[in-house]
Amino acid sequence: NLTDYNKNADTFAGNYAGIIQRVRSIQPRSKFFVVTIPNEEATNNAYNDVIRKIAKKFDNVYVIDLYKYGPSYRHDTDLRKNYFAGGHMNAAGYQFTAWLFINFIDDIISHNFAAFSDAAFIGTDYRY
């Protein structure tokens, strides 16, 4: 329900959109980066499709598409061998993930510069 998030269905899509809508009710100028589930054995692409569709429904919501553009997180990959320990990322894995997100966000901002030109003023009465 695009007019009242309290009426959203209690589903993945309804709750995900509700988070965006609730934050927007507090700060209408907010920006969001939503993230798809990476490519691994158990990835359910139906969730990724929902995440991508939600981003299209709202202004200033940008997709970090790990499934489409990120590395494979499958068990037989070098990423798993080097950046995971016991099923969870190790310290190097979290550092790699930070680097990955920095680069995705930089690319998104670079391609949408006008939308981010006054991002430093979000939450204030100032405009660029």
Side-chain angles (χ1 to χ4, degrees), residues 11-34:
T11 62
F12 178 77
N15 292 321
Y16 207 106
I19 293 167
I20 294 168
Q21 292 169 288
R22 173 67 174 123
V23 172
R24 285 277 165 78
S25 73
I26 298 165
Q27 180 43 255
R29 295 172 55 211
S30 60
K31 313 276 187 203
F32 291 87
F33 295 97
V34 296

PDB file of all heavy atoms in Angstrom, residues 11-34:
ATOM      1  N   THR A  11       4.197  -9.653   4.358  1.00  0.00           N
ATOM      2  CA  THR A  11       4.977 -10.487   3.443  1.00  0.00           C
ATOM      3  C   THR A  11       6.368  -9.876   3.314  1.00  0.00           C
ATOM      4  O   THR A  11       6.622  -8.773   3.810  1.00  0.00           O
ATOM      5  CB  THR A  11       4.329 -10.519   2.037  1.00  0.00           C
ATOM      6  OG1 THR A  11       4.318  -9.171   1.519  1.00  0.00           O
ATOM      7  CG2 THR A  11       2.908 -11.064   2.083  1.00  0.00           C
ATOM      8  N   PHE A  12       7.264 -10.574   2.637  1.00  0.00           N
ATOM      9  CA  PHE A  12       8.591 -10.036   2.388  1.00  0.00           C
ATOM     10  C   PHE A  12       8.488  -8.671   1.710  1.00  0.00           C
ATOM     11  O   PHE A  12       9.089  -7.693   2.157  1.00  0.00           O
ATOM     12  CB  PHE A  12       9.399 -11.013   1.525  1.00  0.00           C
ATOM     13  CG  PHE A  12      10.774 -10.530   1.181  1.00  0.00           C
ATOM     14  CD1 PHE A  12      11.795 -10.581   2.118  1.00  0.00           C
ATOM     15  CD2 PHE A  12      11.057 -10.024  -0.078  1.00  0.00           C
ATOM     16  CE1 PHE A  12      13.075 -10.132   1.813  1.00  0.00           C
ATOM     17  CE2 PHE A  12      12.334  -9.577  -0.403  1.00  0.00           C
ATOM     18  CZ  PHE A  12      13.339  -9.636   0.550  1.00  0.00           C
ATOM     19  N   ALA A  13       7.696  -8.585   0.647  1.00  0.00           N
ATOM     20  CA  ALA A  13       7.550  -7.326  -0.093  1.00  0.00           C
ATOM     21  C   ALA A  13       6.897  -6.251   0.761  1.00  0.00           C
ATOM     22  O   ALA A  13       7.356  -5.104   0.796  1.00  0.00           O
ATOM     23  CB  ALA A  13       6.740  -7.554  -1.370  1.00  0.00           C
ATOM     24  N   GLY A  14       5.831  -6.587   1.455  1.00  0.00           N
ATOM     25  CA  GLY A  14       5.131  -5.605   2.269  1.00  0.00           C
ATOM     26  C   GLY A  14       5.989  -5.064   3.401  1.00  0.00           C
ATOM     27  O   GLY A  14       5.997  -3.859   3.668  1.00  0.00           O
ATOM     28  N   ASN A  15       6.734  -5.939   4.052  1.00  0.00           N
ATOM     29  CA  ASN A  15       7.593  -5.505   5.156  1.00  0.00           C
ATOM     30  C   ASN A  15       8.803  -4.723   4.650  1.00  0.00           C
ATOM     31  O   ASN A  15       9.202  -3.732   5.257  1.00  0.00           O
ATOM     32  CB  ASN A  15       8.027  -6.705   5.999  1.00  0.00           C
ATOM     33  CG  ASN A  15       6.866  -7.315   6.747  1.00  0.00           C
ATOM     34  OD1 ASN A  15       6.001  -6.612   7.255  1.00  0.00           O
ATOM     35  ND2 ASN A  15       6.817  -8.624   6.806  1.00  0.00           N
ATOM     36  N   TYR A  16       9.394  -5.164   3.548  1.00  0.00           N
ATOM     37  CA  TYR A  16      10.554  -4.475   2.974  1.00  0.00           C
ATOM     38  C   TYR A  16      10.159  -3.058   2.559  1.00  0.00           C
ATOM     39  O   TYR A  16      10.823  -2.081   2.905  1.00  0.00           O
ATOM     40  CB  TYR A  16      11.060  -5.266   1.769  1.00  0.00           C
ATOM     41  CG  TYR A  16      12.519  -5.101   1.453  1.00  0.00           C
ATOM     42  CD1 TYR A  16      13.429  -6.108   1.736  1.00  0.00           C
ATOM     43  CD2 TYR A  16      13.005  -3.955   0.832  1.00  0.00           C
ATOM     44  CE1 TYR A  16      14.775  -5.983   1.433  1.00  0.00           C
ATOM     45  CE2 TYR A  16      14.337  -3.811   0.531  1.00  0.00           C
ATOM     46  CZ  TYR A  16      15.222  -4.829   0.827  1.00  0.00           C
ATOM     47  OH  TYR A  16      16.547  -4.694   0.520  1.00  0.00           O
ATOM     48  N   ALA A  17       9.048  -2.955   1.836  1.00  0.00           N
ATOM     49  CA  ALA A  17       8.562  -1.631   1.418  1.00  0.00           C
ATOM     50  C   ALA A  17       8.181  -0.796   2.638  1.00  0.00           C
ATOM     51  O   ALA A  17       8.414   0.414   2.667  1.00  0.00           O
ATOM     52  CB  ALA A  17       7.376  -1.780   0.482  1.00  0.00           C
ATOM     53  N   GLY A  18       7.632  -1.441   3.654  1.00  0.00           N
ATOM     54  CA  GLY A  18       7.226  -0.731   4.861  1.00  0.00           C
ATOM     55  C   GLY A  18       8.389  -0.061   5.570  1.00  0.00           C
ATOM     56  O   GLY A  18       8.235   1.028   6.136  1.00  0.00           O
ATOM     57  N   ILE A  19       9.554  -0.695   5.548  1.00  0.00           N
ATOM     58  CA  ILE A  19      10.738  -0.079   6.154  1.00  0.00           C
ATOM     59  C   ILE A  19      11.075   1.225   5.428  1.00  0.00           C
ATOM     60  O   ILE A  19      11.315   2.257   6.052  1.00  0.00           O
ATOM     61  CB  ILE A  19      11.935  -1.057   6.126  1.00  0.00           C
ATOM     62  CG1 ILE A  19      11.663  -2.238   7.053  1.00  0.00           C
ATOM     63  CG2 ILE A  19      13.231  -0.339   6.496  1.00  0.00           C
ATOM     64  CD1 ILE A  19      12.622  -3.406   6.870  1.00  0.00           C
ATOM     65  N   ILE A  20      11.077   1.176   4.113  1.00  0.00           N
ATOM     66  CA  ILE A  20      11.360   2.373   3.316  1.00  0.00           C
ATOM     67  C   ILE A  20      10.312   3.448   3.596  1.00  0.00           C
ATOM     68  O   ILE A  20      10.634   4.612   3.837  1.00  0.00           O
ATOM     69  CB  ILE A  20      11.426   2.029   1.815  1.00  0.00           C
ATOM     70  CG1 ILE A  20      12.620   1.109   1.544  1.00  0.00           C
ATOM     71  CG2 ILE A  20      11.471   3.294   0.950  1.00  0.00           C
ATOM     72  CD1 ILE A  20      12.630   0.477   0.171  1.00  0.00           C
ATOM     73  N   GLN A  21       9.052   3.047   3.596  1.00  0.00           N
ATOM     74  CA  GLN A  21       7.971   4.001   3.819  1.00  0.00           C
ATOM     75  C   GLN A  21       8.031   4.617   5.217  1.00  0.00           C
ATOM     76  O   GLN A  21       7.773   5.813   5.384  1.00  0.00           O
ATOM     77  CB  GLN A  21       6.623   3.314   3.601  1.00  0.00           C
ATOM     78  CG  GLN A  21       6.382   2.936   2.150  1.00  0.00           C
ATOM     79  CD  GLN A  21       5.181   2.033   2.012  1.00  0.00           C
ATOM     80  OE1 GLN A  21       5.240   0.874   2.386  1.00  0.00           O
ATOM     81  NE2 GLN A  21       4.090   2.587   1.497  1.00  0.00           N
ATOM     82  N   ARG A  22       8.367   3.819   6.224  1.00  0.00           N
ATOM     83  CA  ARG A  22       8.443   4.338   7.596  1.00  0.00           C
ATOM     84  C   ARG A  22       9.563   5.365   7.709  1.00  0.00           C
ATOM     85  O   ARG A  22       9.381   6.443   8.283  1.00  0.00           O
ATOM     86  CB  ARG A  22       8.662   3.182   8.577  1.00  0.00           C
ATOM     87  CG  ARG A  22       8.916   3.633  10.001  1.00  0.00           C
ATOM     88  CD  ARG A  22       7.675   4.281  10.612  1.00  0.00           C
ATOM     89  NE  ARG A  22       7.941   4.557  12.022  1.00  0.00           N
ATOM     90  CZ  ARG A  22       7.857   5.761  12.572  1.00  0.00           C
ATOM     91  NH1 ARG A  22       7.485   6.795  11.845  1.00  0.00           N
ATOM     92  NH2 ARG A  22       8.107   5.929  13.841  1.00  0.00           N
ATOM     93  N   VAL A  23      10.734   5.047   7.158  1.00  0.00           N
ATOM     94  CA  VAL A  23      11.842   6.008   7.196  1.00  0.00           C
ATOM     95  C   VAL A  23      11.447   7.268   6.431  1.00  0.00           C
ATOM     96  O   VAL A  23      11.707   8.386   6.887  1.00  0.00           O
ATOM     97  CB  VAL A  23      13.141   5.391   6.646  1.00  0.00           C
ATOM     98  CG1 VAL A  23      14.230   6.437   6.505  1.00  0.00           C
ATOM     99  CG2 VAL A  23      13.610   4.241   7.545  1.00  0.00           C
ATOM    100  N   ARG A  24      10.792   7.114   5.295  1.00  0.00           N
ATOM    101  CA  ARG A  24      10.361   8.273   4.510  1.00  0.00           C
ATOM    102  C   ARG A  24       9.362   9.125   5.266  1.00  0.00           C
ATOM    103  O   ARG A  24       9.286  10.337   5.062  1.00  0.00           O
ATOM    104  CB  ARG A  24       9.752   7.830   3.177  1.00  0.00           C
ATOM    105  CG  ARG A  24      10.769   7.378   2.169  1.00  0.00           C
ATOM    106  CD  ARG A  24      11.338   8.590   1.442  1.00  0.00           C
ATOM    107  NE  ARG A  24      12.547   8.259   0.731  1.00  0.00           N
ATOM    108  CZ  ARG A  24      12.606   7.625  -0.415  1.00  0.00           C
ATOM    109  NH1 ARG A  24      11.517   7.243  -1.032  1.00  0.00           N
ATOM    110  NH2 ARG A  24      13.786   7.375  -0.965  1.00  0.00           N
ATOM    111  N   SER A  25       8.554   8.503   6.122  1.00  0.00           N
ATOM    112  CA  SER A  25       7.594   9.291   6.905  1.00  0.00           C
ATOM    113  C   SER A  25       8.329  10.180   7.911  1.00  0.00           C
ATOM    114  O   SER A  25       7.814  11.217   8.314  1.00  0.00           O
ATOM    115  CB  SER A  25       6.595   8.378   7.622  1.00  0.00           C
ATOM    116  OG  SER A  25       7.189   7.704   8.715  1.00  0.00           O
ATOM    117  N   ILE A  26       9.537   9.779   8.289  1.00  0.00           N
ATOM    118  CA  ILE A  26      10.363  10.562   9.206  1.00  0.00           C
ATOM    119  C   ILE A  26      11.242  11.543   8.441  1.00  0.00           C
ATOM    120  O   ILE A  26      11.388  12.690   8.826  1.00  0.00           O
ATOM    121  CB  ILE A  26      11.243   9.626  10.066  1.00  0.00           C
ATOM    122  CG1 ILE A  26      10.363   8.722  10.918  1.00  0.00           C
ATOM    123  CG2 ILE A  26      12.226  10.418  10.921  1.00  0.00           C
ATOM    124  CD1 ILE A  26      11.097   7.549  11.522  1.00  0.00           C
ATOM    125  N   GLN A  27      11.842  11.068   7.328  1.00  0.00           N
ATOM    126  CA  GLN A  27      12.737  11.901   6.525  1.00  0.00           C
ATOM    127  C   GLN A  27      12.431  11.673   5.036  1.00  0.00           C
ATOM    128  O   GLN A  27      12.962  10.747   4.419  1.00  0.00           O
ATOM    129  CB  GLN A  27      14.201  11.566   6.811  1.00  0.00           C
ATOM    130  CG  GLN A  27      15.198  12.401   6.019  1.00  0.00           C
ATOM    131  CD  GLN A  27      14.842  13.869   5.944  1.00  0.00           C
ATOM    132  OE1 GLN A  27      14.395  14.346   4.917  1.00  0.00           O
ATOM    133  NE2 GLN A  27      15.032  14.590   7.037  1.00  0.00           N
ATOM    134  N   PRO A  28      11.567  12.518   4.455  1.00  0.00           N
ATOM    135  CA  PRO A  28      11.152  12.341   3.064  1.00  0.00           C
ATOM    136  C   PRO A  28      12.295  12.401   2.051  1.00  0.00           C
ATOM    137  O   PRO A  28      12.185  11.834   0.964  1.00  0.00           O
ATOM    138  CB  PRO A  28      10.170  13.490   2.834  1.00  0.00           C
ATOM    139  CG  PRO A  28       9.719  13.890   4.192  1.00  0.00           C
ATOM    140  CD  PRO A  28      10.866  13.611   5.110  1.00  0.00           C
ATOM    141  N   ARG A  29      13.398  13.073   2.406  1.00  0.00           N
ATOM    142  CA  ARG A  29      14.508  13.218   1.450  1.00  0.00           C
ATOM    143  C   ARG A  29      15.539  12.085   1.566  1.00  0.00           C
ATOM    144  O   ARG A  29      16.583  12.129   0.928  1.00  0.00           O
ATOM    145  CB  ARG A  29      15.190  14.561   1.668  1.00  0.00           C
ATOM    146  CG  ARG A  29      14.263  15.729   1.344  1.00  0.00           C
ATOM    147  CD  ARG A  29      14.827  17.081   1.738  1.00  0.00           C
ATOM    148  NE  ARG A  29      16.127  17.309   1.160  1.00  0.00           N
ATOM    149  CZ  ARG A  29      17.082  18.034   1.741  1.00  0.00           C
ATOM    150  NH1 ARG A  29      16.866  18.588   2.930  1.00  0.00           N
ATOM    151  NH2 ARG A  29      18.231  18.231   1.152  1.00  0.00           N
ATOM    152  N   SER A  30      15.249  11.072   2.351  1.00  0.00           N
ATOM    153  CA  SER A  30      16.216   9.990   2.566  1.00  0.00           C
ATOM    154  C   SER A  30      16.528   9.242   1.276  1.00  0.00           C
ATOM    155  O   SER A  30      15.726   9.210   0.345  1.00  0.00           O
ATOM    156  CB  SER A  30      15.693   9.015   3.625  1.00  0.00           C
ATOM    157  OG  SER A  30      14.467   8.450   3.209  1.00  0.00           O
ATOM    158  N   LYS A  31      17.720   8.661   1.251  1.00  0.00           N
ATOM    159  CA  LYS A  31      18.190   7.829   0.144  1.00  0.00           C
ATOM    160  C   LYS A  31      18.365   6.415   0.691  1.00  0.00           C
ATOM    161  O   LYS A  31      18.713   6.234   1.857  1.00  0.00           O
ATOM    162  CB  LYS A  31      19.537   8.309  -0.391  1.00  0.00           C
ATOM    163  CG  LYS A  31      19.646   9.795  -0.642  1.00  0.00           C
ATOM    164  CD  LYS A  31      19.101  10.180  -1.955  1.00  0.00           C
ATOM    165  CE  LYS A  31      19.415  11.667  -2.210  1.00  0.00           C
ATOM    166  NZ  LYS A  31      18.516  12.234  -3.162  1.00  0.00           N
ATOM    167  N   PHE A  32      18.158   5.429  -0.163  1.00  0.00           N
ATOM    168  CA  PHE A  32      18.314   4.034   0.245  1.00  0.00           C
ATOM    169  C   PHE A  32      19.173   3.281  -0.758  1.00  0.00           C
ATOM    170  O   PHE A  32      19.074   3.501  -1.965  1.00  0.00           O
ATOM    171  CB  PHE A  32      16.946   3.329   0.301  1.00  0.00           C
ATOM    172  CG  PHE A  32      16.061   3.804   1.397  1.00  0.00           C
ATOM    173  CD1 PHE A  32      15.236   4.894   1.201  1.00  0.00           C
ATOM    174  CD2 PHE A  32      16.040   3.161   2.616  1.00  0.00           C
ATOM    175  CE1 PHE A  32      14.401   5.343   2.215  1.00  0.00           C
ATOM    176  CE2 PHE A  32      15.215   3.600   3.634  1.00  0.00           C
ATOM    177  CZ  PHE A  32      14.399   4.695   3.433  1.00  0.00           C
ATOM    178  N   PHE A  33      19.965   2.395  -0.220  1.00  0.00           N
ATOM    179  CA  PHE A  33      20.667   1.404  -1.029  1.00  0.00           C
ATOM    180  C   PHE A  33      20.147   0.047  -0.573  1.00  0.00           C
ATOM    181  O   PHE A  33      20.367  -0.333   0.582  1.00  0.00           O
ATOM    182  CB  PHE A  33      22.185   1.488  -0.824  1.00  0.00           C
ATOM    183  CG  PHE A  33      22.781   2.777  -1.298  1.00  0.00           C
ATOM    184  CD1 PHE A  33      23.018   3.811  -0.419  1.00  0.00           C
ATOM    185  CD2 PHE A  33      23.089   2.962  -2.643  1.00  0.00           C
ATOM    186  CE1 PHE A  33      23.559   5.009  -0.851  1.00  0.00           C
ATOM    187  CE2 PHE A  33      23.625   4.160  -3.080  1.00  0.00           C
ATOM    188  CZ  PHE A  33      23.861   5.185  -2.191  1.00  0.00           C
ATOM    189  N   VAL A  34      19.434  -0.626  -1.440  1.00  0.00           N
ATOM    190  CA  VAL A  34      18.939  -1.967  -1.131  1.00  0.00           C
ATOM    191  C   VAL A  34      19.860  -2.977  -1.800  1.00  0.00           C
ATOM    192  O   VAL A  34      20.476  -2.685  -2.823  1.00  0.00           O
ATOM    193  CB  VAL A  34      17.468  -2.155  -1.560  1.00  0.00           C
ATOM    194  CG1 VAL A  34      16.554  -1.222  -0.774  1.00  0.00           C
ATOM    195  CG2 VAL A  34      17.280  -1.933  -3.056  1.00  0.00           C
TER     196      VAL A  34
END
